Amino acid sequence: MINTLAMSISERTREIGVLRAIGMDRSGISRMIRLEAVCVAAFGTLLGLAGGLFGSWKVSGLLNGAIPQYSFSPPWPTLALVVLLSLAVGAVAAALPARRAAVLSPLRAVAAA
């Protein structure tokens, strides 16, 4: 995730420079990058959990006839912990790329090719 965010920062150098040039401060840039990272982590986690829950629900439907008294019951507290941990990892992963984006000089960033 850190690598993806770092590549995103390097690809959007001009965009960040323009945002700085029109008045966004360093904390705003840093906040934008952190929010982006948390959104990516949230969407990835939720899509992964939805796919995993759907797959296990379908497999449990197949096992329902083979194993008597089997019922599908997801571990909701564990899944909630996974969501919280992934959001925390997303926020931590954004720290270095956000700092790098915040210290970009607006003029150098806009002039970058």
Side-chain angles (χ1 to χ4, degrees):
M1 186 163 202
I2 294 172
N3 188 33
T4 303
L5 286 169
M7 292 300 295
S8 172
I9 299 303
S10 68
E11 290 173 356
R12 296 185 334 188
T13 302
R14 282 186 147 175
E15 174 190 337
I16 292 168
V18 169
L19 287 172
R20 289 287 312 275
I22 62 172
M24 186 177 261
D25 59 349
R26 290 180 178 185
S27 64
I29 297 289
S30 182
R31 189 177 326 114
M32 178 184 73
I33 302 299
R34 283 193 312 266
L35 181 62
E36 178 183 327
V38 170
C39 286
V40 167
F43 285 129
T45 302
L46 292 178
L47 286 174
L49 286 178
L53 284 172
F54 179 75
S56 36
W57 173 65
K58 291 307 272 183
V59 167
S60 72
L62 295 173
L63 292 177
N64 215 3
I67 300 174
Q69 299 174 346
Y70 177 80
S71 66
F72 175 67
S73 60
W76 295 114
T78 304
L79 296 177
L81 182 65
V82 166
V83 169
L84 290 176
L85 285 176
S86 73
L87 294 178
V89 167
V92 169
L96 184 62
R99 183 176 300 150
R100 188 177 317 159
V103 299
L104 279 175
S105 167
L107 294 177
R108 287 190 181 166
V110 171

